[in-house]
Amino acid sequence: LYSFDPEDNRFRYCLVPANRGPFDLLWDGERFWMSIQEDSDGDPALFSYDPDGWSIQLWTLPSDFSKPHGLQVDPFGRIWVIAEWGRRVGCLDPEEGTFTIYQLPGAPSEECYDLAIDPEGNVWFVHDGENYIGYLHNAAFYALYLPHFDTRAGWWTGVALKNPERGDIR
């Protein structure tokens, strides 16, 4: 991975510990992310790079998450990746250190390459082999409360939204 510093007109580089890949590169506002088909141990992985200190962090993915491809960051700072093979979308939460896999409908094929995330956090993908567009609704990260109060007793009817840790409420 190379970076160019226009102030001193020089390149810096960092070796990527990978046997195969990378497939995609993403900037999340703080660091670079790469999806790697096989790291130096032969496992699918994500790598993150801090451009200031050039520190590398490895996130080994489950072995059945083959050929991690397109990368996106959602409004909550999580990294989403689609597996080219096997009908899977994965979500890495760097703060929690967790990786969640979502199984997509349809037959396995090497036809899933990219995904997109809308401003509400919904994850959209195209499955070329099965010829469909799908999405993962991300509203599970919001809590919605619908209290009902009697206005005759000094109560009110209204809607209250609670979202203590996951960004702005719309």
Side-chain angles (χ1 to χ4, degrees):
L1 176 66
Y2 284 88
S3 74
F4 178 72
D5 185 346
E7 291 183 16
D8 64 6
N9 201 31
R10 295 180 59 158
F11 282 97
R12 292 187 344 178
Y13 72 93
C14 177
L15 294 177
V16 177
N19 292 338
R20 298 180 75 188
F23 282 122
D24 205 2
L25 183 66
L26 169 73
W27 171 251
D28 73 357
E30 296 178 13
R31 56 192 158 192
F32 289 101
W33 291 87
M34 293 177 120
S35 57
I36 304 294
Q37 183 175 344
E38 290 181 7
D39 65 10
S40 56
D41 293 327
D43 296 315
L46 299 178
F47 291 102
S48 66
Y49 299 89
D50 170 13
D52 295 327
W54 278 79
S55 61
I56 299 172
Q57 191 164 9
L58 167 68
W59 304 88
T60 302
L61 304 180
S63 59
D64 62 345
F65 199 85
S66 61
K67 293 188 180 180
H69 221 270
L71 292 173
Q72 291 290 326
V73 62
D74 72 10
F76 310 110
R78 295 171 302 177
I79 306 301
W80 289 83
V81 58
I82 194 164
E84 180 182 338
W85 175 257
R87 305 176 351 250
R88 291 176 176 86
V89 172
C91 177
L92 173 68
D93 186 332
E95 289 183 23
E96 300 291 326
T98 58
F99 186 73
T100 305
I101 297 176
Y102 299 89
Q103 189 72 38
L104 306 180
S109 69
E110 291 193 41
E111 304 293 338
C112 298
Y113 300 109
D114 211 354
L115 48 86
I117 299 176
D118 67 23
E120 303 301 320
N122 297 311
V123 179
W124 294 85
F125 55 88
V126 175
H127 192 302
D128 295 343
E130 292 287 315
N131 197 27
Y132 70 83
I133 296 172
Y135 76 100
L136 298 168
H137 186 62
N138 218 20
F141 299 104
Y142 293 94
L144 177 63
Y145 300 93
L146 302 173
H148 180 79
F149 301 98
D150 184 345
T151 57
R152 293 171 292 192
W155 297 65
W156 59 278
T157 300
V159 175
L161 296 175
K162 182 179 180 184
N163 183 5
E165 300 176 11
R166 297 291 188 177
D168 296 336
I169 295 175
R170 297 176 189 244

